[in-house]
Amino acid sequence: MRAKSGDRVVTHGRTVGRHDRTAEVVEVLGEDGAPPYRVRTEDGHETVLSPGPDTVVEHRDEPR
Protein backbone atom coordinates (compact mmCIF):
# COMPACT_ATOMS: atom_id res chain seq x y z
CA MET A 1 0.00 0.00 0.00
CA ARG A 2 1.32 3.40 -1.03
CA ALA A 3 -0.19 6.84 -0.45
CA LYS A 4 0.72 10.51 -0.52
CA SER A 5 -0.68 13.61 1.14
CA GLY A 6 -4.14 14.40 -0.19
CA ASP A 7 -5.06 10.79 -0.96
CA ARG A 8 -8.07 9.24 0.76
CA VAL A 9 -8.08 6.02 2.76
CA VAL A 10 -11.32 4.09 2.97
CA THR A 11 -11.77 1.45 5.65
CA HIS A 12 -14.66 -0.81 4.72
CA GLY A 13 -17.16 -1.82 7.39
CA ARG A 14 -16.60 -5.45 8.32
CA THR A 15 -20.05 -6.20 9.69
CA VAL A 16 -23.57 -5.68 8.40
CA GLY A 17 -24.77 -2.16 9.10
CA ARG A 18 -21.31 -0.73 9.70
CA HIS A 19 -20.48 2.08 7.31
CA ASP A 20 -17.19 2.67 5.53
CA ARG A 21 -14.89 5.19 7.22
CA THR A 22 -13.08 7.74 5.07
CA ALA A 23 -10.09 9.90 5.95
CA GLU A 24 -7.64 12.16 4.10
CA VAL A 25 -3.92 11.46 4.31
CA VAL A 26 -2.30 14.51 5.91
CA GLU A 27 1.23 13.11 6.28
CA VAL A 28 3.03 9.92 5.27
CA LEU A 29 5.15 8.66 8.16
CA GLY A 30 6.61 5.58 6.43
CA GLU A 31 9.27 5.22 3.75
CA ASP A 32 8.31 5.82 0.09
CA GLY A 33 4.58 6.22 0.73
CA ALA A 34 4.27 3.22 3.03
CA PRO A 35 2.21 3.29 6.26
CA PRO A 36 1.73 4.56 8.88
CA TYR A 37 -0.21 7.66 7.84
CA ARG A 38 -1.40 10.70 9.76
CA VAL A 39 -5.02 11.08 8.63
CA ARG A 40 -7.88 13.54 9.17
CA THR A 41 -11.37 12.10 9.38
CA GLU A 42 -14.51 13.79 8.09
CA ASP A 43 -15.24 15.24 11.54
CA GLY A 44 -11.79 16.90 11.70
CA HIS A 45 -10.17 14.40 14.09
CA GLU A 46 -6.53 13.52 13.33
CA THR A 47 -4.92 10.19 14.15
CA VAL A 48 -2.12 7.88 13.04
CA LEU A 49 -3.38 4.97 10.94
CA SER A 50 -1.67 1.68 10.17
CA PRO A 51 -4.15 0.29 7.65
CA GLY A 52 -5.32 -3.29 7.69
CA PRO A 53 -6.51 -5.54 4.85
CA ASP A 54 -9.97 -3.92 4.80
CA THR A 55 -8.50 -0.48 3.90
CA VAL A 56 -7.87 0.86 0.40
CA VAL A 57 -6.18 4.02 -0.87
CA GLU A 58 -7.98 6.28 -3.33
CA HIS A 59 -5.34 8.42 -5.01
CA ARG A 60 -6.41 12.02 -5.51
CA ASP A 61 -5.46 11.93 -9.19
CA GLU A 62 -7.80 8.98 -9.88
CA PRO A 63 -11.50 9.49 -10.68
CA ARG A 64 -13.83 8.50 -7.83
Side-chain angles (χ1 to χ4, degrees):
M1 177 175 294
R2 298 282 183 251
K4 58 185 177 288
S5 293
D7 289 347
R8 290 182 354 150
V9 289
V10 179
T11 303
H12 298 291
R14 294 177 19 177
T15 58
V16 174
R18 186 134 191 221
H19 299 287
D20 293 351
R21 293 177 289 150
T22 304
E24 179 183 352
V25 176
V26 176
E27 179 183 8
V28 177
L29 302 172
E31 296 282 323
D32 298 320
Y37 308 120
R38 180 174 313 282
V39 298
R40 182 178 302 122
T41 59
E42 294 171 340
D43 65 0
H45 181 78
E46 286 193 14
T47 190
V48 174
L49 174 70
S50 293
D54 54 344
T55 302
V56 294
V57 173
E58 293 180 351
H59 300 285
R60 69 177 158 192
D61 53 352
E62 291 179 355
R64 295 185 185 167

